[in-house]
Amino acid sequence: MLRVQGLTSQFRGRAGVVRAIDDVSFEVPAGEAVGIVGETGSGKSVTIRSILGLLPSYGRVVAGSAEFEGEDLIKLSRTRLREIRGARIGFVAQNPFGALNPVLSIEKQFRNVMRAHRRMSRAELHDLAIERLAAVQVRGPERVLRGYAHELSGGMAQRVVIALAMLHDPPLVIADEPTTALDVTVQRQILDLIDSQVKQGGRSLLLVTHDLGVVAQYCHRVVVMKSGRVVETGLVADVFTNPTHEYTKQLLDAVPPAPWAQEAPGLTEQAVTSR
Amino acid sequence: MSIMELRDVNHVFRRGGKEVHAVNGVSLSVAKGETVAVIGESGSGKSTLGRIALGLITPTSGSVVFDGIELTALSRKQMRPLRSRLQVVFQEPYESLNPRLKVGDIIAEPLIIHRPELSRAERREKVVAMLERVGLTAEHADRLPRNLSGGQQQRIGIARAIITEPELVILDEPTSSLDVSVRARVLDLLRDLQRERGISYVFISHDLATVGLISDRVAVMYLGTVVEQGPTQEVLTNPRHPYTQALMSATLSTVVGQKREHVPLRGEIPNPSKKPTKCVLSGRCPIEVDACSSWQVRLAQVADRHEVACMRVEQEQKQPVELGGGR
């Protein structure tokens, strides 16, 4: 579905040129979910922004390719890339309020996303938008369509963003920390939603996250990044049970077990001896 | 003996004619050398509670007693000498450090205020010792906060908090903005300092997994109300309130295939503008029955020192045979 090879990007800054990602290679097979994990500065977001042509003005891809449906996304013109983004690749960003336009009604945003790739009558689009919002479990879709982003809670706003990302039924969905800005109890609802939307459509998913738990529970494959490089990649079942790279081991060890899997939580003993 | 005792604390913010009931009837005590975790999502009132415990906010009603002293009755001036004994570490280390001061000056500042008798050389000596204690070196004293990593910045926040040898430190999400590998080491440091100095902690967090590693007791807050509290091990192994169960099940394991059955809550956290007159989880709860909407929230004991504020659990406790679908 997506084959990234030797992707290298640089940022120009006051201190000179910085190589943000270096020789990044991985694949997203059709129908699979791939997670890119790493800590702050590992280059995970730069990787997907390089693929999507969304680097800031001071950044550019200097080497490598990202092959998608027979084309190299890196070499495409802006116009052609714009045709692919939205229609063939859906994007879900971390902050839904940054992704939605604050001054346009939600319906207008559905219309804009639709019009970017396809003609459709207002009435038809209205019905489709209602159907899609219902599919992502937005309550009162009629009211939401008439309203604006600021009237929505974080979770509802992210559902709207997911509905917009899926509007053209893209075969590939890319999500950049889609639940990091949300409350814990809402996070899991949104992950389950993305998971079911991807599976129902037989789509592929490229998910960027810092949360190893998300990868363990929702992805088939994992790409572990550190300081702009891929340190380990493979099936989640293999990498998480038997990590070969020291850094992957460290990362996995650093995550406390889920609270319901902790054998003896608490510090009772130590607290007693301190008195 | 308890170092901090909150009794029936309520706090209402008034903003533009609107009221926000941030904390409702919370009672909490912290024993010497103990870590009490306060856990909740955004808007649960956990940070407001932390500020009340610090004496930064005077609650609308209720009592806050630190080492036998009623804080709510004190003026700012009377509060000042207590500040060295009652300290805080914030979530965003960089935001909480003065960007124009060198690290050494940041850590020395509380000493200038609270230990004016110290000479410059004595202060410097204490600062260097403290830097080394938190895992940094004397060389860091002349650096600016922005030239340090997030983990190092948080170590400075911790050094500044404990240099006055406080008895209680409020830790407000001290590891939430740190990467996992750094997080574990900062938790280790906090634990070591507690063991060495017998400090009490109030650990405010939204992450049950972290809380399980560091706290002796835990209070789970939702919409300004404590819905469950007890010894950490007991609460984490036997959570009874549906909200605690939902929080627990929301944490994903890194062990492939180790999945906990999801306890789903409907919708999202409502606006806390109304004082709750019924169960706070009403409308989102998976085990709600009609009677819940007229039930006045109260904590009831379910096990030794383990209390839960849920009507279904309370009834189950009384008639364990007839009900029992609540777990």
Side-chain angles (χ1 to χ4, degrees):
Chain A
M1 176 60 47
L2 175 71
R3 177 180 288 142
V4 175
Q5 274 177 322
L7 199 61
T8 303
S9 298
Q10 289 180 341
F11 283 155
R12 227 177 25 245
R14 258 179 302 176
V17 174
V18 183
R19 188 153 283 197
I21 54 169
D22 196 358
D23 196 20
V24 170
S25 304
F26 63 89
E27 274 179 49
V28 183
E32 289 199 10
V34 176
I36 305 184
V37 281
E39 298 185 288
T40 314
S42 61
K44 55 192 192 300
S45 286
V46 175
T47 301
I48 57 165
R49 288 183 182 274
S50 300
I51 294 168
L52 291 168
L54 295 175
L55 285 178
S57 57
Y58 51 89
R60 66 188 187 96
V61 179
V62 292
S65 63
E67 211 179 294
F68 173 72
E69 296 188 327
E71 288 177 283
D72 181 3
L73 298 176
I74 308 300
K75 293 207 178 72
L76 292 183
S77 68
R78 279 166 169 267
T79 335
R80 178 72 190 123
L81 199 54
R82 210 174 289 145
E83 282 168 21
I84 291 173
R85 281 196 312 247
R88 307 299 298 162
I89 302 178
F91 183 58
V92 179
Q94 174 172 350
N95 179 1
F97 297 106
L100 295 171
N101 188 323
V103 297
L104 298 182
S105 72
I106 301 296
E107 179 149 19
K108 179 83 184 159
Q109 298 186 55
F110 267 94
R111 224 177 281 152
N112 287 349
V113 171
M114 181 49 79
R115 212 180 277 156
H117 304 285
R118 244 176 83 195
R119 291 232 152 270
M120 191 181 262
S121 76
R122 282 193 177 216
E124 255 182 295
L125 176 71
H126 181 82
D127 292 345
L128 181 65
I130 295 282
E131 181 196 315
R132 292 306 178 90
L133 286 177
V136 295
Q137 292 136 40
V138 167
R139 282 162 302 154
E142 287 280 359
R143 190 172 36 84
V144 168
L145 273 188
R146 278 195 303 274
Y148 293 83
H150 70 91
E151 296 161 348
L152 302 170
S153 66
M156 277 301 142
Q158 195 61 299
R159 286 171 197 273
V160 171
V161 169
I162 292 168
L164 285 167
M166 305 284 179
L167 192 59
H168 294 283
D169 298 312
L172 174 65
V173 176
I174 297 184
D176 187 2
E177 304 260 12
T179 59
T180 307
L182 306 174
D183 268 317
V184 223
T185 51
V186 182
Q187 282 182 7
R188 183 140 174 201
Q189 297 169 6
I190 296 293
L191 287 167
D192 286 344
L193 178 67
I194 293 175
D195 190 50
S196 69
Q197 291 277 315
V198 165
K199 277 187 187 141
Q200 277 168 23
R203 303 177 226 273
S204 309
L205 175 69
L206 179 59
L207 178 76
V208 170
T209 179
H210 67 278
D211 189 339
L212 293 155
V214 171
V215 176
Q217 303 308 331
Y218 292 92
C219 296
H220 303 98
R221 286 167 192 277
V222 60
V223 178
V224 184
M225 288 190 70
K226 180 182 191 263
S227 316
R229 290 171 173 273
V230 174
V231 296
E232 184 160 4
T233 173
L235 290 170
V236 171
D238 296 339
V239 173
F240 277 51
T241 44
N242 205 356
T244 54
H245 197 281
E246 194 50 41
Y247 179 69
T248 315
K249 271 182 214 157
Q250 281 172 15
L251 264 189
L252 284 165
D253 286 345
V255 183
W260 38 268
Q262 288 179 15
E263 278 170 18
L267 259 189
T268 325
E269 252 172 89
Q270 287 158 353
V272 170
T273 46
S274 74
R275 261 168 267 174
Chain B
M1 203 198 122
S2 68
I3 182 82
M4 167 75 60
E5 186 93 44
L6 303 177
R7 262 181 246 120
D8 196 23
V9 170
N10 290 281
H11 193 69
V12 185
F13 286 110
R14 290 192 173 79
R15 206 183 298 154
K18 280 186 191 157
E19 289 191 340
V20 175
H21 291 262
V23 177
N24 300 307
V26 172
S27 297
L28 199 69
S29 79
V30 186
K32 279 192 177 151
E34 181 188 45
T35 299
V36 175
V38 177
I39 186 148
E41 295 177 276
S42 57
S44 63
K46 60 189 193 298
S47 288
T48 305
L49 192 71
R51 276 157 200 269
I52 289 170
L54 280 166
L56 292 177
I57 293 179
T58 306
T60 313
S61 70
S63 126
V64 183
V65 178
F66 171 70
D67 196 23
I69 309 160
E70 173 65 55
L71 296 189
T72 55
L74 299 184
S75 66
R76 285 177 83 101
K77 205 176 162 189
Q78 288 170 314
M79 189 64 213
R80 210 167 292 153
L82 289 178
R83 299 226 187 269
S84 66
R85 304 171 57 196
L86 185 56
Q87 282 289 336
V88 59
V89 176
F90 296 101
Q91 174 172 0
E92 292 293 337
Y94 186 69
E95 304 294 318
S96 69
L97 303 175
N98 185 334
R100 292 170 192 280
L101 288 188
K102 286 180 185 163
V103 165
D105 295 329
I106 290 172
I107 300 173
E109 210 171 18
L111 288 178
I112 298 175
I113 297 164
H114 297 291
R115 302 281 304 276
E117 77 281 4
L118 294 178
S119 72
R120 190 179 286 259
E122 285 170 323
R123 237 178 9 236
R124 175 84 192 177
E125 198 179 305
K126 276 188 176 292
V127 167
V128 169
M130 185 51 70
L131 275 170
E132 283 166 358
R133 181 59 203 92
V134 298
L136 299 169
T137 62
E139 183 260 332
H140 286 101
D142 297 316
R143 308 259 290 264
L144 286 169
R146 69 158 178 272
N147 297 325
L148 301 174
S149 69
Q152 289 171 328
Q153 288 168 357
Q154 196 57 298
R155 285 167 194 272
I156 292 160
I158 293 167
R160 175 180 58 184
I162 60 165
I163 197 155
T164 58
E165 294 168 22
E167 289 133 272
L168 177 65
V169 179
I170 312 288
L171 305 163
D172 191 354
E173 303 252 17
T175 57
S176 303
S177 66
L178 305 177
D179 278 321
V180 273
S181 57
V182 182
R183 194 178 294 178
R185 275 176 275 146
V186 170
L187 282 178
D188 282 342
L189 173 66
L190 287 169
R191 244 183 320 222
D192 290 346
L193 289 169
Q194 177 170 55
R195 219 174 314 168
E196 250 167 58
R197 291 157 197 248
I199 314 176
S200 308
Y201 289 145
V202 172
F203 191 94
I204 298 171
S205 179
H206 68 274
D207 180 13
L208 272 170
T210 306
V211 159
L213 296 179
I214 196 162
S215 67
D216 305 300
R217 288 192 301 124
V218 59
V220 182
M221 282 185 82
Y222 181 76
L223 273 189
T225 310
V226 172
V227 294
E228 179 156 9
Q229 63 181 13
T232 304
Q233 190 166 353
E234 159 73 17
V235 172
L236 294 194
T237 49
N238 189 19
R240 301 294 302 276
H241 197 282
Y243 179 69
T244 316
Q245 293 174 347
L247 264 190
M248 294 270 278
S249 72
T251 318
L252 300 169
S253 170
T254 54
V255 179
V256 181
Q258 188 188 46
K259 219 165 198 166
R260 185 170 174 112
E261 197 188 331
H262 190 200
V263 178
L265 294 179
R266 276 169 285 155
E268 291 175 52
I269 304 170
N271 194 325
S273 58
K274 278 189 233 146
K275 186 174 169 67
T277 51
K278 53 182 182 185
C279 176
V280 278
L281 200 59
S282 182
R284 295 189 73 195
C285 181
I287 58 165
E288 185 170 357
V289 293
D290 286 347
C292 290
S293 60
S294 57
W295 184 73
Q296 181 59 52
V297 178
R298 57 173 173 263
L299 285 164
Q301 188 148 330
V302 293
D304 182 31
R305 295 184 300 153
H306 183 182
E307 296 179 306
V308 175
C310 172
M311 187 192 78
R312 296 290 307 273
V313 174
E314 196 182 278
Q315 288 174 348
E316 195 182 324
Q317 232 17 57
K318 286 177 192 155
Q319 315 156 294
V321 191
E322 287 170 45
L323 286 155
R327 296 266 296 273

